[in-house]
Amino acid sequence: MEKEAEIQSLTDTLAKFTAYIGKRLPTDVKNKQAELRAKETNPMAIEIFDVMAENQDAADKLDRPSCQDTGVIQYFIQAGSSFPLLGELESILEGATRGATEIGPLRHNAVEAFVEKNTGTNTGSKIPWLDWEILPGKDYVILDVYMAGGGCTLPGASTVLMPGQGYEGVAEFVLDVMTSRGLNACPPLLVGVGVSTSAETAARLSKKAILKPVTARNTNEQAALLEELLAEGINDLGIGPQGLTGDNTVMGVNIEWSARHPSTIGVAVSTGCWAHRRGQIKINADLSYEIISHQDVKL
Ligand code: SF4
């Protein structure tokens, strides 16, 4: 294939994939919601879980987005340094966002800051948002697409704790965010927590945490224990699906962490809502692809 044809082909594939994830939830999220429904005892919460499942079926049958807010498009890119279209990837992803906006269709959610004008294409200054990691020597790309809806983005918060506040301070911060704004994010939530040195490194890690599967268990035993305790604590608040009370407020809590400065504990929270629209795709050097997040997909 000529290079121009390759660029067009990859743009089309990624436009279709981006539109697709707005309509069908990832397999792990769907399975988790069915599991929560099965163990829920609160009648109102059971009703809400059933309505959510009906909504997903309707989105599938009607080929429409599963929530009206299709978010701001964000791509988290693990790019092989030898991927043949590495230099073109940024413009390919911008084209994919424009294409997905038409195919979806996706709601127009990119408003230029200060100008306060909707671009009408879901693209704009630094939108789609791109987060890059380089995979040295690899010739493929692993791409996470995320639709950052308004409600699920709203609880996002980050701070830097005094070192003496310790991990109790981390738990207190997460629970403060959940009790004050968790409701806005359409529970049940996937809660991402970043623990690092500073506000911005913790914030980035908290977002990466909600790209992990809802069933992920931390490789660090202490972090895994904190994930369990936070999930238990948030569920004990009784917020429930859509905030209408219930036994289950979270689909899971995932922590991403880095080594940190000894004098600070940066902590951040990001939340994914029940309509947690994210998808992961691997693009090989020959532009063949494998969809990792969803089963039985035909683009
Ligand atoms: S929080 Fe999620 S489900 Fe609720 S309106 Fe926003 S995108 Fe839709």
Side-chain angles (χ1 to χ4, degrees):
M1 236 193 293
E2 292 296 318
K3 193 158 191 178
E4 281 310 309
E6 286 180 347
I7 290 171
Q8 193 54 54
S9 164
L10 185 54
T11 304
D12 290 346
T13 299
L14 294 177
K16 284 183 202 157
F17 184 60
T18 301
Y20 179 88
I21 70 144
K23 297 172 186 174
R24 287 155 193 108
L25 299 185
T27 306
D28 63 316
V29 172
K30 252 186 121 165
N31 291 346
K32 177 55 83 171
Q33 284 173 15
E35 183 191 317
L36 296 183
R37 159 68 176 86
K39 66 181 187 190
E40 184 62 61
T41 60
N42 179 309
M44 174 64 89
I46 290 171
E47 183 70 25
I48 299 292
F49 276 120
D50 285 345
V51 169
M52 286 170 174
E54 279 169 33
N55 180 307
Q56 288 169 51
D57 287 344
D60 196 24
K61 283 193 192 100
L62 299 169
D63 196 30
R64 289 182 195 160
S66 56
C67 176
Q68 40 75 38
D69 183 357
T70 48
V72 157
I73 307 302
Q74 301 179 333
Y75 293 106
F76 294 79
I77 310 146
Q78 297 173 65
S81 58
S82 303
F83 182 65
L85 296 179
L86 186 59
E88 289 75 20
L89 207 46
E90 183 169 343
S91 62
I92 287 171
L93 291 171
E94 187 183 334
T97 302
R98 287 172 183 268
T101 300
E102 287 178 18
I103 298 166
L106 306 183
R107 199 175 82 179
H108 300 165
N109 278 331
V111 174
E112 285 293 357
F114 301 109
V115 181
E116 298 305 296
K117 188 172 180 343
N118 196 316
T119 64
T121 60
N122 278 321
T123 63
S125 305
K126 297 189 171 62
I127 296 293
W129 185 264
L130 307 183
D131 178 287
W132 292 93
E133 275 176 47
I134 294 293
L135 304 175
K138 305 295 183 197
D139 63 358
Y140 57 83
V141 166
I142 297 175
L143 193 71
D144 285 286
V145 187
Y146 180 68
M147 290 186 172
C152 49
T153 303
L154 204 56
S158 180
T159 193
V160 182
L161 305 175
M162 296 293 277
Q165 289 177 269
Y167 292 95
E168 291 85 353
V170 170
E172 190 179 345
F173 179 75
V174 175
L175 288 167
D176 276 353
V177 171
M178 285 299 111
T179 50
S180 56
R181 290 190 161 200
L183 194 60
N184 292 104
C186 292
L189 309 175
L190 177 57
V191 180
V193 179
V195 175
S196 185
T197 291
S198 52
E200 83 288 358
T201 56
R204 179 173 184 267
L205 291 174
S206 72
K207 194 56 169 285
K208 299 279 279 184
I210 62 169
L211 300 177
K212 290 162 67 174
V214 291
T215 50
R217 190 173 194 281
N218 214 291
T219 51
N220 177 297
E221 282 306 313
Q222 294 302 314
L225 177 62
L226 187 55
E227 287 173 348
E228 280 167 27
L229 293 174
L230 284 170
E232 210 177 296
I234 299 167
N235 281 335
D236 282 349
L237 296 171
I239 296 169
Q242 290 295 6
L244 293 167
T245 71
D247 306 329
N248 299 288
T249 302
V250 296
M251 294 188 280
V253 177
N254 289 343
I255 297 176
E256 279 279 288
W257 50 274
S258 73
R260 62 176 178 81
H261 190 287
S263 304
T264 67
I265 305 178
V267 55
V269 173
S270 292
T271 42
C273 58
W274 80 266
H276 187 44
R277 278 82 39 91
R278 62 149 157 67
Q280 191 176 62
I281 187 169
K282 181 181 178 200
I283 312 283
N284 299 311
D286 64 0
L287 303 190
S288 61
Y289 60 85
E290 179 193 341
I291 293 171
I292 299 163
S293 53
H294 296 66
Q295 283 169 355
D296 304 324
V297 184
K298 286 194 188 70
L299 292 182

